[in-house]
Amino acid sequence: KQWYQRRVRGHISLIRSIPLLASRGACLVPSTTLARTGVSQSDIVRGKQREKIRDVVHDIASSAHLHAEHCEELSVGLPPKALYGLLPLTPAKLFLKRLQKYDFDIFNERTLVRPPSLPFALMKESVKVDMKARIRRFQLTKDIMKKSGRQ
């Protein structure tokens, strides 16, 4: 499961690095992704063909989203306390939503700004995990009491 989280974070880091590296004359986007979308490295460095660059960013972001979904699917059978390990996915999900909101335009400054709601979103996810653990603990206690006939 950590492997998928690392992939998500790697994809997000790659997307975030595009404007900075482009301003320095570099591009680390894989050539297979560039070939699939019909964009050259020089287009990214020069900031030309914004629509095609959006396609590149969309391709990488959709891959990150798939890895995040897969990670959540694998977490179904985990004990509730182990779900705290999924909290690092929360900022990644927020970033992917923000990218989608701004139509995958990575050169738009609003996509790269850390949202002020991030601490609240992390707290909310933490409370969800805690509540799942409490509910599970309550269900286990209830089942034990039923078996022992104390209900």
Side-chain angles (χ1 to χ4, degrees):
K1 290 159 191 76
Q2 285 183 348
W3 184 76
Y4 290 105
Q5 282 187 19
R6 289 184 193 135
R7 286 201 128 189
V8 172
R9 283 187 251 146
H11 284 57
I12 298 296
S13 296
L14 175 63
I15 292 170
R16 285 185 169 173
S17 72
I18 290 173
L20 176 68
L21 292 175
S23 69
R24 295 180 181 180
C27 176
L28 293 180
V29 178
S31 58
T32 55
T33 305
L34 293 174
R36 188 173 35 240
T37 55
V39 179
S40 68
Q41 288 184 346
S42 63
D43 290 339
I44 290 179
V45 169
R46 293 181 188 137
K48 292 184 178 179
Q49 297 184 2
R50 286 256 175 127
E51 287 300 318
K52 288 190 176 186
I53 294 174
R54 286 179 182 177
D55 292 340
V56 170
V57 173
H58 179 267
D59 190 39
I60 298 169
S62 62
S63 178
H65 180 72
L66 287 175
H67 286 299
E69 280 184 347
H70 191 67
C71 189
E72 289 176 349
E73 288 171 6
L74 290 175
S75 69
V76 171
L78 291 176
K81 287 282 186 177
L83 296 177
Y84 281 110
L86 295 179
L87 286 179
L89 285 177
T90 303
K93 289 183 214 171
L94 288 175
F95 178 71
L96 290 173
K97 284 180 186 176
R98 204 166 52 253
L99 260 179
Q100 188 176 18
K101 179 180 177 181
Y102 294 112
D103 198 29
F104 300 97
D105 184 12
I106 196 63
F107 292 104
N108 185 342
E109 292 179 9
R110 291 178 282 179
T111 58
L112 298 175
V113 175
R114 182 183 134 188
S117 63
L118 180 61
F120 176 72
L122 284 169
M123 184 183 73
K124 181 179 169 185
E125 289 297 317
S126 178
V127 168
K128 279 184 188 177
V129 169
D130 195 39
M131 289 305 294
K132 285 180 184 179
R134 289 180 185 195
I135 290 170
R136 178 72 178 141
R137 199 168 40 242
F138 175 74
Q139 289 172 341
L140 289 174
T141 305
K142 190 176 173 182
D143 290 343
I144 290 171
M145 291 181 75
K146 272 186 182 178
K147 288 180 183 177
S148 66
R150 291 189 200 172
Q151 195 181 27

